[in-house]
Amino acid sequence: MVAVTSGMLVVFALVVVTMALFVTEAAPPDVTAIGVIVALVVLEPWTRVDLQTGLSGFSSAATITVLSMYALSEGVRQTGAIRVLGDAVASFTNGSESRLLAAVVGLTGPVAGVVNNTPVVAVFVPMVSDLADQANVSPSKLLIPLSYASMLGGTLTLVGTATNLVASEAYAAATGLPPFSMFTFTPLGAVVFVVGAGYLLTVAPRLLPERIEPGNRTGNYGVEPFLARVLVPARSPLVGIPAGEVSDDTYRDLNVDILDVLRGGEHFIAADSDREVESRDILTIRGDPATIRRFCDLADLRFLPRASVTDAELDRPERVALVELVVPRESGLVGETIGGARLRERYDATVLAVRRRGGDLIREHFRDVELQVGDSLLLQTTNETARYLRDSGDFVVTSEVADEFIEDNGGLSPTSFRAFAVIAAVIGLAALGVVPIAIAALGGVAAMVTLGCLSASDAYGAVSWNVIFLLAGVIPLGQALQLTGGVALLSEFVGVAATYLPVVVVLAAFYLLTGLLANVITPVASVVLMLPVAIDTAFGLGADPFGFALAVTFGGSTAFMTPIGYQTNLMVYGPGGYRFTDYLRVGAPLQLLLTVVTTAGIVLLWGV
């Protein structure tokens, strides 16, 4: 019988507090993780975590590999290869919803197996949204399948997700055996992907609602009543005022914005221009309908009641872009107001609407709106600014933006082939065991920069540092559980309960429990906490610890039931117009299906 010690109780208390903070998001997950490191080291007499152990997460092979994979994925993205894939998919699908869904699932999964799945979704969302518009299909029918397919594809290889890499290192630390190789669980991953893909192609379309109307962003955000067109007579006091300064000057308190100016046959965006308003100009204005009328009276403008403002009026590829953005967890603007972020002044961008998690729409008084994780913004800006926003890291751009690395004939540039060669070399060297995966990935980043596929600043900017700090914080927490005997105590309790159950049922229970935890805390944290317990339980039952480690690893990669469980789910939440229940309706049956499939696959392929 394992004796309960004060050290165990302290670490268990830290685990409970950490999980509560993850679930409530009272603090960002990476900040919580940093606090965990501090607490573990400060409480060393009880946690047994000294300074070196507390900081070991930063030097972990898993952390270094994840960091490198973000940079490698950015190198591939910058080549414009995704745009070329989008053109190929558009030709293949030819407007068919079923073929488009098949192409999205069939393409996303294998790509996510060799390139970290989070950047894959980041670059696929605008492509899929654009293809959905072309095919007149609601993006809501495609974006959850896109996220789920990337998660399923992440189980194909060691580098598919950060969860796999953390599990590999934790397995080696707990058993003293070598970590997983590049293709250790590829046979099981292939089975899981095929079954999951079959579900996404047959069952999911019947469960997914059409939350978003295709090709109508202004309508989907409900901004059409908040847009109007007005004519500038010669007597208007606006004549001679720079178009970009109208809403920042005398009329600031009215909360109206001048979006663009039509002069003759030429459109120019107001926020990006210092040209003065002239007589006979036609202005596109955003604001509350009553406020627009008041603005017209004050500025002596002629309201044009029959001139509706649609996507076509606001989105002109040669100059003006109507862009959708999502605020990711790692954005530096989370918690800042739109006015404080100075989007119009810094980015020549005018916010038209904000969609909150849960579907609430905000269409006026943006200056005081505080940006939250998962918010979707509809704004008008220039194509140049849209590319800058995409590359800034503060937003995920979910509408198509032209890439610079595509040759005029539509093919890939030499840069693209160099990037693909680097990725192939990284995977090959790691798979053959020539060098450890962390070293191969770091070498790949250096090669990308040297070969001109990626600049050094872009490599640093591509890393989701919140994920890196999260990894660095939860890894020593798992070590503290082992050092204080907490893992042994939990395993003893589980072992007593499992005495009356078949080993295969216990195996399935670990898969399901890890998956449920991953839906409310991060997948990485769920694996760090559950994998040592699963391995100790396996030893206690006389079972193969490898099979139990796989169950936890795959369970952590299948957080299908909530938008907050995995970052790719959150990335498609706003663009798809989803509600929280949509994930539960589609994800719960898939999670239960894969509990059976994964457990059976482990038993048949490796035994228990």
Side-chain angles (χ1 to χ4, degrees):
M1 182 73 178
V2 177
V4 178
T5 65
S6 58
M8 287 182 193
L9 296 177
V10 169
V11 174
F12 283 143
L14 282 176
V15 170
V16 171
V17 171
T18 300
M19 292 179 65
L21 290 173
F22 281 153
V23 172
T24 61
E25 295 186 333
D30 50 324
V31 174
T32 298
I34 294 171
V36 168
I37 296 174
V38 174
L40 288 171
V41 176
V42 169
L43 299 173
E44 181 185 354
W46 295 275
T47 64
R48 300 186 185 179
V49 174
D50 57 17
L51 177 62
Q52 185 173 356
T53 304
L55 298 177
S56 62
F58 289 102
S59 60
S60 160
T63 305
I64 298 301
T65 305
V66 171
L67 183 153
S68 302
M69 291 307 298
Y70 275 117
L72 292 172
S73 300
E74 175 66 8
V76 172
R77 186 198 67 77
Q78 287 199 10
T79 66
I82 303 302
R83 176 120 183 178
V84 175
L85 284 175
D87 293 339
V89 170
S91 300
F92 167 74
T93 58
N94 196 28
S96 166
E97 179 179 346
S98 58
R99 295 179 72 178
L100 179 55
L101 179 59
V104 168
V105 173
L107 183 63
T108 304
V111 173
V114 294
V115 180
N116 189 279
N117 59 3
T118 301
V120 168
V121 171
V123 295
F124 269 52
V125 167
M127 181 195 82
V128 171
S129 298
D130 188 57
L131 291 173
D133 289 346
Q134 293 176 27
N136 198 33
V137 175
S138 171
S140 309
K141 290 288 190 178
L142 301 172
L143 292 177
I144 275 183
L146 167 67
S147 175
Y148 288 2
S150 76
M151 294 162 69
L152 293 168
T155 65
L156 291 171
T157 69
L158 179 63
V159 297
T161 69
T163 308
N164 298 348
L165 293 160
V166 171
S168 174
E169 189 164 306
Y171 171 75
T175 63
L177 298 171
F180 302 147
S181 67
M182 180 65 71
F183 301 110
T184 294
F185 40 73
T186 299
L188 179 59
V191 172
V192 168
F193 176 73
V194 169
V195 173
Y199 173 89
L200 295 177
L201 297 177
T202 57
V203 179
R206 295 176 171 83
L207 301 176
L208 283 168
E210 294 186 4
R211 301 288 187 199
I212 295 292
E213 183 182 342
N216 185 14
R217 296 188 183 100
T218 52
N220 290 327
Y221 280 84
V223 298
E224 288 178 348
F226 294 79
L227 301 174
R229 309 199 80 182
V230 299
L231 176 69
V232 182
R235 63 181 179 274
S236 172
L238 297 189
V239 174
I241 297 178
E245 297 178 10
V246 170
S247 56
D248 298 327
D249 195 9
T250 309
Y251 308 97
R252 179 183 180 89
D253 292 338
L254 289 180
N255 189 38
V256 294
D257 292 311
I258 307 299
L259 300 182
D260 66 18
V261 180
L262 174 61
R263 181 174 299 161
E266 179 189 8
H267 275 268
F268 61 88
I269 186 168
D272 184 46
S273 176
D274 57 1
R275 284 190 277 188
E276 297 176 348
V277 176
E278 296 180 1
S279 172
R280 309 303 298 174
D281 282 350
I282 295 177
L283 310 180
T284 303
I285 302 175
R286 183 217 61 80
D288 177 83
T291 304
I292 290 176
R293 291 284 190 175
R294 185 182 172 202
F295 175 61
C296 289
D297 292 339
L298 292 174
D300 202 357
L301 303 171
R302 185 187 304 169
F303 185 77
L304 303 176
R306 297 184 180 179
S308 61
V309 183
T310 63
D311 286 14
E313 298 294 335
L314 298 175
D315 192 5
R316 296 177 174 271
E318 71 278 2
R319 179 64 178 151
V320 183
L322 191 62
V323 181
E324 289 180 274
L325 310 173
V326 172
V327 180
R329 290 187 186 279
E330 60 268 24
S331 174
L333 299 179
V334 173
E336 192 167 346
T337 64
I338 290 177
R342 297 174 57 83
L343 296 179
R344 187 175 176 92
E345 295 83 358
R346 292 166 59 189
Y347 302 114
D348 300 326
T350 302
V351 178
L352 303 181
V354 178
R355 178 185 283 114
R356 281 274 142 93
R357 286 161 54 182
D360 293 337
L361 287 171
I362 302 171
R363 289 161 293 193
E364 55 182 330
H365 303 295
F366 299 117
R367 291 188 180 94
D368 298 326
V369 173
E370 188 175 289
L371 292 171
Q372 300 176 5
V373 174
D375 280 353
S376 290
L377 282 69
L378 179 69
L379 54 82
Q380 186 196 40
T381 186
T382 64
N383 282 316
E384 293 81 5
T385 298
R387 283 193 290 269
Y388 178 80
L389 288 168
R390 182 189 65 185
D391 298 336
S392 70
D394 285 327
F395 299 101
V396 175
V397 177
T398 61
S399 48
E400 195 81 305
V401 179
D403 290 294
E404 302 89 339
F405 289 86
I406 303 172
E407 298 200 322
D408 293 337
N409 61 8
L412 294 176
S413 69
T415 308
S416 303
F417 295 105
R418 291 197 292 270
F420 288 135
V422 170
I423 292 290
V426 169
I427 293 174
L429 290 171
L432 295 172
V434 177
V435 292
I437 178 63
I439 299 301
L442 278 176
V445 175
M448 283 270 193
V449 174
T450 303
L451 295 172
C453 305
L454 186 69
S455 69
S457 60
D458 285 343
Y460 287 114
V463 178
S464 292
W465 293 104
N466 65 321
V467 175
I468 300 305
F469 279 96
L470 175 63
L471 289 171
V474 297
I475 286 173
L477 183 60
Q479 292 175 322
L481 278 171
Q482 291 180 305
L483 291 170
T484 59
V487 169
L489 181 64
L490 291 174
S491 301
E492 185 174 88
F493 284 138
V494 174
V496 171
T499 303
Y500 306 99
L501 298 172
V503 174
V504 68
V505 174
V506 180
L507 183 71
F510 270 106
Y511 173 93
L512 188 58
L513 180 58
T514 307
L516 293 175
L517 279 176
N519 277 289
V520 292
I521 63 176
T522 66
V524 167
S526 66
V527 167
V528 167
L529 295 175
M530 292 300 299
L531 194 138
V533 177
I535 289 175
D536 256 35
T537 301
F539 282 131
L541 297 175
D544 183 4
F546 176 74
F548 277 70
L550 283 186
V552 170
T553 303
F554 276 68
S557 298
T558 55
F560 298 123
M561 295 195 298
T562 69
I564 60 174
Y566 199 72
Q567 53 263 47
T568 60
N569 284 349
L570 187 62
M571 289 162 64
V572 302
Y573 189 73
Y578 296 119
R579 298 172 186 169
F580 195 98
T581 53
D582 294 333
Y583 289 86
L584 189 61
R585 183 188 304 114
V586 182
L590 179 57
Q591 195 125 27
L592 292 174
L593 172 64
L594 293 184
T595 299
V596 176
V597 171
T598 305
T599 304
I602 292 172
V603 173
L604 292 175
L605 290 171
W606 293 284
V608 291

